[in-house]
Amino acid sequence: MKQYVKILSIIMLFSLKTVEIVAQVPNPNTSEKFNKLFTYAHTNGMFNGSVLIIDNKSLVYKKSYGDTKNQENKPITSNTQFLLASLSKQFTATGIVLLHEQGKLKFDDKVIQHLPDFPYSNVTIRNLLNQTSGILEYEKLLNNQFSKLEKSYNESGKIITNNEVYALYKKRKPKLEFTPNKKFNYSNTNYVFLALLIEKVSGQSFAKYMQTQIFSPLQMNNTFVYNALDTSNFFERAIGYKLKIDGENIEVNDNYPFINIVGDGGIYSTIDDLQKYILALNENKIMSKESRREAFSKPTLLNTEKSSYGFGWFIKTIPFNKHKAITHSGEFVGFSNAIFNDLDAKKSIILLSNNSSKYRAQLNSAMVRILYDIPYELPKKNIRGVIGELIYEKSIEVAIETYKKLKNENFNKYNFKENQLNRLGYDLLEQEKLQEAIAIFKLNVSSYPESSNVYDSLGEAYLLNNQKELALFNYKKSVSLHPDNKKAIEIIKELQK
């Protein structure tokens, strides 16, 4: 079984000034810790991108690692443009706040007041902002039509935009997953609809509104909304990628020529530009204090419980100092990004990467700990990559022996969690290395004999190899450990016929 566990008045707006970094010498010890962390991460294939750390307007650390993977393959710099993915949601939410401050809408307006053909009469703008609308994730609808849409693009050049998503919802009217404001459920659709709302209320395209109301006033000169039909805004573009199973060659993920959905994502930016945005946000140069307070407050649900999502940000309370922090991550087609901003201490982290997200959580944890002078650990290297390389370079036998040796002698240096071998096994299946996949799944069974999932995966591999008796044995073992494994139960019935 696979486990793959985004205003001020017009006069005030155009008076926005970029907040400058105060020229102070960063703490050498803190800066050196960050340097050690990212040098180690880059050297070990855990990070390729840019990082910037701010402490109350003082620049603590800023450095870029690796290359862009574009045609020129240039070194990444602080001006390299990364796809923000879901980090784009903060800008969409800011756009709504500015319209609110201009008196053009209210947060508690029903969306249908501004979009008369909106298919959900009881959903408010606040519901969309707070991710409490209950609206179905649009990818679930698009996936069913992906081949048809791709064919349409190949034949006529028609691209998928927010309007196509909106038309699909108006036509199908998928049922809300729950009553609005009953609970939090992260759905990119909410922010696609917010982008359409911005266009309707402002009378401008989403891209132009972002440019004139946010990017240009803050001198975010390398930031823009992606347009599939126009690449002229790219100055220094990073390409999203991931390493192949052999650990050496790359697989470019950054390939979506006919997808131009924005609001939930779709914005490209740089660490230098995001620095300007965060500093301006902290200095109340973007929105009023009252709007800022509302945007960064946890919403109250129908059951009176507090949700964790504000206006385009997750709202956190830092355990050790009780400060309020806003955070978000963004991941799409190889890009993996994160922002952390302590609103009280004005300590901020900006991380942009154009490779896999598998080490982002460990890097995030280490960065926050270093920023607050708390003991931290260097990220553990995923054993999946180490063993995968050995399978290609040497043999499955050498890979398995190395796994056992490293687990016995260097357990604290590597990540030996169950999902490591499980994902490697499925990687091998995709590469049509069936025997190697079976060997890896067997190794996982011996390592985690109490896990239903590892037997399920081994059963699947045996079934693909037409070893039905062994498949049946492992599926039965999986069900004995997890009686609710419905898929395995169905397969067992078929195998016993």
Side-chain angles (χ1 to χ4, degrees):
M1 183 187 298
K2 294 185 181 179
Q3 285 191 340
Y4 289 60
V5 164
K6 175 175 52 358
I7 181 170
L8 308 165
S9 66
I10 294 177
I11 295 176
M12 292 179 68
L13 174 66
F14 285 101
S15 68
L16 292 180
K17 303 294 182 182
T18 302
V19 180
E20 299 293 335
I21 285 282
V22 176
Q24 295 183 14
V25 178
N27 184 326
N29 186 44
T30 302
S31 180
E32 182 55 37
K33 286 179 181 178
F34 280 116
N35 195 56
K36 177 182 177 181
L37 170 65
F38 281 97
T39 299
Y40 170 85
H42 178 66
T43 302
N44 285 279
M46 301 174 178
F47 181 70
N48 195 89
S50 293
V51 59
L52 184 143
I53 317 291
I54 306 167
D55 186 350
N56 195 22
K57 296 195 291 186
S58 297
L59 182 62
V60 175
Y61 187 75
K62 181 171 77 170
K63 196 166 182 180
S64 299
Y65 297 82
D67 52 67
T68 58
K69 303 303 180 188
N70 58 22
Q71 290 181 342
E72 295 82 12
N73 214 26
K74 294 180 179 179
I76 290 173
T77 71
S78 61
N79 284 318
T80 297
Q81 295 161 309
F82 292 80
L83 179 63
L84 297 186
S86 284
L87 294 191
S88 304
K89 289 181 174 68
Q90 61 185 289
F91 294 105
T92 305
T94 298
I96 293 291
V97 170
L98 302 188
L99 289 172
H100 168 78
E101 292 190 350
Q102 292 171 353
K104 295 182 178 181
L105 56 76
K106 296 179 181 178
F107 298 134
D108 292 312
D109 285 349
K110 296 288 197 298
V111 178
I112 202 168
Q113 293 175 229
H114 303 279
L115 298 174
D117 54 355
F118 191 69
Y120 306 105
S121 61
N122 57 340
V123 171
T124 67
I125 295 173
R126 190 184 297 276
N127 292 148
L128 298 181
L129 288 165
N130 290 151
Q131 304 270 19
T132 59
S133 70
I135 297 175
L136 181 74
E137 174 64 60
Y138 71 82
E139 290 183 4
K140 294 181 180 179
L141 293 183
L142 284 185
N143 285 343
N144 295 329
Q145 296 196 352
F146 195 82
S147 297
K148 179 182 177 182
L149 293 166
E150 187 173 26
K151 182 181 178 182
S152 176
Y153 169 75
N154 292 332
E155 292 178 351
S156 65
K158 184 175 178 58
I159 61 175
I160 307 170
T161 68
N162 291 36
N163 290 326
E164 277 66 46
V165 174
Y166 192 54
L168 193 58
Y169 275 79
K170 288 193 295 181
K171 179 181 179 180
R172 295 202 176 183
K173 294 182 174 62
K175 185 179 179 181
L176 293 179
E177 296 187 301
F178 52 85
T179 302
N181 207 41
K182 183 178 180 180
K183 62 181 180 179
F184 161 81
N185 185 50
Y186 190 95
S187 173
N188 287 293
T189 316
N190 292 317
Y191 277 73
V192 173
F193 290 162
L194 285 171
L196 287 170
L197 189 63
I198 286 172
E199 293 186 329
K200 182 63 182 293
V201 175
S202 71
Q204 295 179 304
S205 70
F206 180 71
K208 187 172 183 180
Y209 184 84
M210 290 290 110
Q211 190 65 48
T212 59
Q213 303 294 298
I214 301 175
F215 303 153
S216 291
L218 293 178
Q219 299 176 35
M220 298 173 67
N221 300 323
N222 290 316
T223 302
F224 64 94
V225 177
Y226 174 74
N227 185 337
L229 303 178
D230 181 9
T231 59
S232 61
N233 285 314
F234 284 115
F235 169 71
E236 189 178 305
R237 179 182 184 178
I239 300 296
Y241 76 97
K242 66 178 180 179
L243 285 176
K244 291 186 176 181
I245 191 174
D246 60 14
E248 296 180 0
N249 297 303
I250 71 168
E251 178 179 336
V252 173
N253 286 5
D254 193 353
N255 185 22
Y256 52 111
F258 65 98
I259 300 177
N260 204 155
I261 300 169
V262 298
D264 62 326
I267 292 176
Y268 276 82
S269 191
T270 71
I271 56 167
D272 279 350
D273 277 2
L274 289 177
Q275 166 192 306
K276 295 173 184 177
Y277 179 77
I278 289 296
L279 289 172
L281 191 67
N282 288 341
E283 294 297 311
N284 298 315
K285 300 295 184 180
I286 296 176
M287 61 183 74
S288 69
K289 287 185 179 180
E290 181 181 348
S291 293
R292 188 174 182 266
R293 190 181 308 112
E294 188 156 20
F296 302 150
S297 294
K298 292 184 177 182
T300 303
L301 302 175
L302 291 177
N303 63 2
T304 71
E305 292 182 1
K306 294 288 186 179
S307 178
S308 61
Y309 202 85
F311 291 3
W313 295 93
F314 285 95
I315 314 299
K316 309 283 187 182
T317 300
I318 302 174
F320 50 83
N321 62 13
K322 304 305 178 184
H323 288 182
K324 178 183 286 188
I326 53 176
T327 71
H328 217 293
S329 61
E331 181 180 344
F332 187 55
V333 293
F335 292 92
S336 181
N337 316 307
I339 291 183
F340 166 90
N341 186 22
D342 181 333
L343 295 173
D344 296 316
K346 297 181 180 178
K347 294 175 182 281
S348 307
I349 294 170
I350 302 169
L351 182 79
L352 301 179
S353 172
N354 64 331
N355 71 344
S356 160
S357 65
K358 56 189 176 183
Y359 293 102
R360 189 183 64 213
Q362 293 186 72
L363 287 171
N364 287 351
S365 175
M367 285 190 293
V368 171
R369 287 176 171 272
I370 292 172
L371 188 58
Y372 292 95
D373 198 24
I374 298 172
Y376 72 100
E377 294 181 355
L378 292 172
K380 292 183 178 181
K381 191 166 186 179
N382 289 337
I383 198 64
R384 168 193 175 201
V386 177
I387 302 306
E389 290 182 38
L390 286 174
I391 292 172
Y392 275 80
E393 292 176 358
K394 297 187 178 180
S395 68
I396 186 66
E397 291 79 15
V398 170
I400 290 174
E401 285 304 312
T402 301
Y403 175 89
K404 293 177 179 178
K405 182 177 180 181
L406 291 176
K407 192 172 184 180
N408 183 52
E409 298 176 2
N410 292 279
F411 185 81
N412 291 328
K413 186 178 179 181
Y414 295 91
N415 175 9
F416 287 98
K417 291 182 179 179
E418 173 194 325
N419 71 330
Q420 291 294 300
L421 291 181
N422 207 57
R423 292 181 66 179
L424 175 58
Y426 281 103
D427 287 342
L428 291 165
L429 288 180
E430 290 177 4
Q431 299 293 322
E432 299 183 351
K433 291 184 174 292
L434 185 52
Q435 296 306 318
E436 288 86 348
I438 289 173
I440 290 298
F441 286 136
K442 287 174 66 177
L443 178 61
N444 215 18
V445 164
S446 65
S447 299
Y448 296 93
E450 300 304 315
S451 168
S452 166
N453 184 62
V454 297
Y455 290 100
D456 187 293
S457 298
L458 180 55
E460 183 177 345
Y462 275 133
L463 191 57
L464 288 172
N465 202 40
N466 204 33
Q467 293 176 273
K468 295 183 179 180
E469 289 187 6
L470 287 171
L472 179 61
F473 173 84
N474 282 279
Y475 276 121
K476 284 184 175 180
K477 183 66 176 178
S478 176
V479 171
S480 71
L481 293 167
H482 179 46
D484 292 330
N485 188 346
K486 295 179 181 179
K487 181 181 176 182
I489 293 171
E490 293 175 1
I491 294 174
I492 290 170
K493 290 179 180 178
E494 288 296 317
L495 289 172
Q496 289 179 328
K497 285 184 179 179

